[in-house]
Amino acid sequence: LLYLAPLTTVGNLPFRRVCKRMGADVTIGEMALTTNLLMGQPSEWALLRRHPEEKMFGIQICGGYGDSVTRCVELLDRECDFDFVDINMGCPIDLVCNKGAGSSLLRKPKRIEQLVRAASSVLTKPLTVKMRTGWDDNTPVAHDVISQLHQWGASAVTLHGRTRQQRYTKLADWDYISQCVRGSNPGLQVIGNGDIFSYKDYLAAKNSGVSSVMIARGALVKPWVFTEIKEQRDWDISGTERLEMIKSFCNFGLEHWGSDHKGVENTRRFLLEWMSYLHKYIPLGLLEVVPQKLHWRPPAYTCRNDREQMLSSDNPEDWIKVTSMLLGPPPENFSFVPKHKSNSYASEGAAALEDING
């Protein structure tokens, strides 16, 4: 099974439908904060919506305290349609960590045990965990935690092969992921996460012993990576095919957010957020070395036709023109700045995407 990672903002329901049609097997909703869910915030509950096409669907929650996590899980178990609940222990952003959740839990293994035991005891469906290798580069803790997760009540763990400190500044450590797999209970599925961007990356990752892989940024830049993995090939997708995929997103967006003015503008905004990643794809036929790696900075290149050139532009004004073609002109004085600060392939700002994905 191929997993699409939970991705804040960009991992919305229309995007997940695109990835499902490209071959993703398991999808997970955007990270929802337990405190906001318990307060009944409609915008937070909206993150938990599942589409019928999502045959295997998980809800990801983020909280740092056993009582609130347990009450939230009980509520979800009663009210929501899902196949498993995932607890986020990888989110690196300060807003989350300062509340004792996300990556900050990696400094408190006893708290992790408390959360997993409490949540699994009230949940009628499987509980999973998503985590990083540790808080900082000097103190990896995942191997200790993973060796005990199954006895605490978890069914699976996704391990992103970076510390909180690293963000995206180094490659994911698949050797360490392999070490964690070897030390895990046979009853625990270990899913690997980090830098999967082609079927060759997938095959290399499987050599670490993981049950499967979860794909995050790679799916934002190249949603057809799921097709490539399943068909074991590098797909030289055309500009026309990529534009058809974007059209599908627009149709799914209008269906999800509505076709009135507000729905159209929601679809436009979320499409623009996605295009801030999508444009980083380098057409396969232009590469001297195949396949492209996720961390590569592309050299200047000339596309094969106008459609490719349009979709490869790093100028937000050009992205807005694409949305105008598909959704009509934007409101007067419309402008767009991506929510994430990343303008590079391995910057700290990319973490605003991440857990986004943990």
Side-chain angles (χ1 to χ4, degrees):
L1 295 177
L2 296 178
Y3 290 72
L4 172 66
L7 300 159
T8 299
T9 303
V10 278
N12 49 67
L13 184 148
F15 174 74
R16 299 197 305 269
R17 289 184 67 185
V18 169
C19 290
K20 275 295 298 179
R21 296 193 176 192
M22 289 291 181
D25 298 303
V26 184
T27 53
I28 305 171
E30 299 173 64
M31 181 182 75
L33 301 178
T34 55
T35 48
N36 293 350
L37 291 172
L38 290 170
M39 287 190 292
Q41 288 188 7
S43 59
E44 209 74 13
W45 279 91
L47 302 177
L48 312 183
R49 284 180 60 185
R50 174 186 196 169
H51 191 272
E53 288 183 5
E54 298 182 275
K55 301 303 183 187
M56 180 68 72
F57 176 71
I59 288 174
Q60 188 185 66
I61 60 172
C62 185
Y65 298 93
D67 56 347
S68 59
V69 168
T70 304
R71 283 188 289 124
C72 184
V73 165
E74 285 182 308
L75 187 60
L76 297 177
D77 207 37
R78 197 166 60 242
E79 300 292 337
C80 295
D81 177 24
F82 61 88
D83 297 297
F84 61 94
V85 169
D86 185 75
I87 299 180
N88 181 305
M89 298 183 187
C91 182
I93 62 175
D94 293 340
L95 180 68
V96 170
C97 291
N98 291 343
K99 294 180 179 178
S103 291
S104 68
L105 289 166
L106 300 172
R107 296 185 292 182
K108 302 172 182 176
K110 287 291 184 186
R111 179 79 60 80
I112 294 177
E113 178 181 0
Q114 177 193 6
L115 290 181
V116 174
R117 285 190 185 276
S120 62
S121 69
V122 298
L123 193 60
T124 60
K125 292 178 180 175
L127 178 75
T128 66
V129 170
K130 189 169 192 291
M131 64 188 300
R132 286 174 175 253
T133 59
W135 176 261
D136 58 52
D137 296 352
N138 298 322
T139 51
V141 299
H143 59 286
D144 284 333
V145 173
I146 288 175
S147 67
Q148 303 173 81
L149 273 177
H150 188 258
Q151 69 187 65
W152 295 344
S155 300
V157 60
T158 300
L159 179 58
H160 179 188
R162 292 183 175 90
T163 63
R164 191 261 186 181
Q165 179 185 4
Q166 281 175 250
R167 302 290 177 103
Y168 281 104
T169 55
K170 296 178 185 175
L171 294 177
D173 188 348
W174 281 90
D175 289 337
Y176 182 70
I177 292 176
S178 182
Q179 176 189 334
C180 293
V181 172
R182 292 194 300 272
S184 66
N185 185 296
L188 182 78
Q189 287 190 55
V190 181
I191 300 156
N193 173 221
D195 302 332
I196 305 293
F197 200 43
S198 69
Y199 83 91
K200 291 176 183 173
D201 292 337
Y202 168 79
L203 294 176
K206 286 290 283 182
N207 286 336
S208 68
V210 293
S211 304
S212 189
V213 301
M214 181 178 285
I215 304 176
R217 285 183 303 159
L220 288 172
V221 179
K222 193 171 84 172
W224 55 94
V225 66
F226 298 105
T227 305
E228 290 188 332
I229 291 170
K230 290 192 168 179
E231 297 181 1
Q232 303 261 306
R233 67 183 176 108
D234 297 310
W235 181 4
D236 189 8
I237 189 170
S238 69
T240 299
E241 289 170 314
R242 289 160 67 195
L243 189 61
E244 284 300 316
M245 178 186 67
I246 294 172
K247 284 181 183 177
S248 294
F249 175 90
C250 291
N251 291 334
F252 298 155
L254 296 175
E255 183 182 324
H256 180 58
W257 290 300
S259 54
D260 58 358
H261 175 76
K262 184 178 180 182
V264 170
E265 293 314 307
N266 271 336
T267 302
R268 189 188 313 278
R269 285 280 180 184
F270 285 110
L271 174 56
L272 288 167
E273 292 289 353
W274 179 26
M275 290 192 72
S276 69
Y277 294 97
L278 197 57
H279 80 275
K280 295 180 179 182
Y281 170 71
I282 306 170
L284 186 71
L286 304 179
L287 291 172
E288 292 182 8
V289 178
V290 175
Q292 178 183 355
K293 294 292 185 180
L294 193 53
H295 62 284
W296 284 356
R297 287 177 180 271
Y301 62 91
T302 302
C303 292
R304 295 171 291 191
N305 54 58
D306 290 344
R307 188 153 287 175
E308 275 191 352
Q309 194 70 43
M310 174 180 67
L311 296 177
S312 297
S313 172
D314 61 2
N315 185 349
E317 292 299 318
D318 290 330
W319 310 340
I320 293 171
K321 289 176 186 174
V322 173
T323 73
S324 299
M325 288 170 46
L326 302 174
L327 297 167
E332 194 174 348
N333 300 320
F334 179 87
S335 63
F336 171 73
V337 177
K339 278 192 176 181
H340 69 95
K341 302 182 186 71
S342 173
N343 59 4
S344 71
Y345 284 73
S347 79
E348 192 166 299
L353 151 72
E354 226 236 349
D355 274 340
I356 279 189
N357 96 72

